[in-house]
Amino acid sequence: MIKRIGILTGGGDCPGLNAVIRASVKTAISHYGWEVLGITDGFDGLIIPDRIFKMDLNSVKGILPKGGTILGTSNRGNPFKYPVKKDGKIVTEDKSDEILKNILKLEIDGLIVIGGDGTLNIAYQLYKKGANIVGVPKTIDNDLAKTDYTFGFFTAVNTATDAIDKLHTTAESHHRIMIVEVMGRDAGWIALNSGIAGGADIILIPEIPFNIEKIIEKINERNLKGSHFSIIVVAEGAYEKGKDKHYVEKAKNEGTLPRYGGISNYIASVLSEKTDMEIRTTILGHIQRGGSPTPYDRILASRFGVEVCDLIAQKKFGYMVNLVGTQIISRPIEESISKQKLIDPYGQLVETARRLQISLGD
Ligand code: F6P
């Protein structure tokens, strides 16, 4: 018998997290009659469980349009390699047993973990150790395999497209090259989608390493045709053929990831040497992670939040919800985290961009 469930959000936040929390709390309490515990700051909340709180329908009032997560999150603490200070040094410790003990102590019969690849990987390891976990895929990067889309992605694309639209008019007025750097880690989904939606001239994605000469070719071609400005959308993980990616910070320890950033400034510096045009860069950064979710993301997040409760009711632990076509289905968490979903360089979306005469820099 399921009596009490827990909910946590892990990894980088994204628009729609609150919509999932709201849908799960409503379904759990009103439909199933379960108790719900809100676990704060991702898995950290189960290592130091002093801020866990009982959720009721009032806890989720008014949160549907809100960005972020009312539960808090963390993308710096893998419990299997948890950073702790010892003798003035940062070392990592395995805290997974403490999490399992706390789940038992709190009498949580099913735990909903809402997260991206990192968080779901941890969830899967904990499930293998005995935790009753179910998952919900989340990330603005849309790089999780097995689900067509993650919620938060289209809100990020919306934000990026809005920025490209705004940069378009100023680029045209000043006859400038505008370079917009968007997020996405090793996947170019945000760049390709917002680039197409915003009518970019050049889109650079990690899946297709670029050649600076090809970018210059495209800019010159546009100048010859009378378009004395160009919009370049570059994914933070894009890189020049034969060279490294650009980082703002390498991984600090085993439990953390490197942070990408700065590729737009690199391209700007090379282009300013090789062309006579004025160039400006805009790094959109965390603006893409914030704000109110679009209606599409609110609906997807709400559907995930409802369906994930059904997985608990059916005791389908180790499973997560996925969007396939128009249906929400469930699959083992293991399948989603086994591979990253990247753009097929020969796929339809890339071909669409090429037919629209957008250069991919190759
Ligand atoms: O995974 C989501 C994401 O926003 C990536 O697109 C980006 O590279 C990263 O997180 C940034 O992480 P942080 O919030 O730690 O700077």
Side-chain angles (χ1 to χ4, degrees), residues 54-281:
K54 191 169 169 206
M55 299 184 85
D56 57 24
L57 295 176
N58 277 328
S59 337
V60 295
K61 252 191 193 155
I63 67 169
L64 178 62
K66 283 192 181 154
T69 161
I70 59 163
L71 294 175
T73 187
S74 162
N75 61 357
R76 292 282 176 263
N78 177 345
F80 288 88
K81 287 168 186 164
Y82 199 75
V84 286
K85 218 173 193 180
K86 263 197 179 162
D87 306 326
K89 270 189 175 173
I90 300 283
V91 292
T92 56
E93 275 179 7
D94 184 351
K95 299 276 186 190
S96 57
D97 287 335
E98 279 176 47
I99 290 186
L100 292 177
K101 265 189 229 152
N102 283 328
I103 290 176
L104 272 182
K105 215 158 119 191
L106 292 159
E107 297 178 354
I108 294 173
D109 303 311
L111 176 64
I112 298 174
V113 173
I114 312 167
D117 55 350
T119 304
L120 291 171
N121 222 305
I122 295 163
Y124 177 62
Q125 304 305 328
L126 290 169
Y127 159 72
K128 281 203 299 186
K129 288 188 81 166
N132 287 346
I133 288 182
V134 288
V136 177
K138 159 252 52 157
T139 168
I140 62 160
D141 303 337
N142 195 38
D143 59 349
L144 272 171
K146 301 290 173 188
T147 187
D148 288 353
Y149 292 109
T150 47
F151 68 85
F153 168 64
F154 279 114
T155 305
V157 169
N158 214 44
T159 301
T161 304
D162 187 42
I164 297 166
D165 285 348
K166 286 176 174 152
L167 291 167
H168 231 118
T169 51
T170 168
E172 195 168 0
S173 309
H174 285 268
H175 317 297
R176 283 174 170 163
I177 299 171
M178 289 288 185
I179 310 178
V180 193
E181 181 175 320
V182 298
M183 283 184 164
R185 269 199 220 281
D186 297 300
W189 295 107
I190 299 176
L192 187 56
N193 281 273
S194 64
I196 291 175
D201 306 298
I202 299 161
I203 302 175
L204 307 173
I205 57 175
E207 293 87 343
I208 304 178
F210 65 83
N211 177 339
I212 284 280
E213 297 307 324
K214 295 285 175 189
I215 298 175
I216 296 172
E217 237 172 63
K218 179 70 186 175
I219 294 167
N220 289 341
E221 181 194 308
R222 284 178 52 74
N223 281 334
L224 281 176
K225 284 183 185 161
S227 296
H228 301 290
F229 70 97
S230 286
I231 303 284
I232 305 177
V233 176
V234 57
E236 61 179 2
Y239 61 101
E240 193 175 359
K241 207 168 186 177
K243 302 217 169 138
D244 274 348
K245 297 200 174 200
H246 284 246
Y247 299 99
V248 281
E249 185 184 67
K250 298 260 176 184
K252 275 192 176 151
N253 55 53
E254 270 189 293
T256 60
L257 289 169
R259 284 170 55 219
Y260 291 136
I263 183 67
S264 54
N265 290 328
Y266 167 73
I267 296 171
S269 71
V270 180
L271 289 184
S272 74
E273 278 170 23
K274 299 196 174 207
T275 72
D276 293 333
M277 291 179 74
E278 276 195 39
I279 306 157
R280 297 290 185 268
T281 55

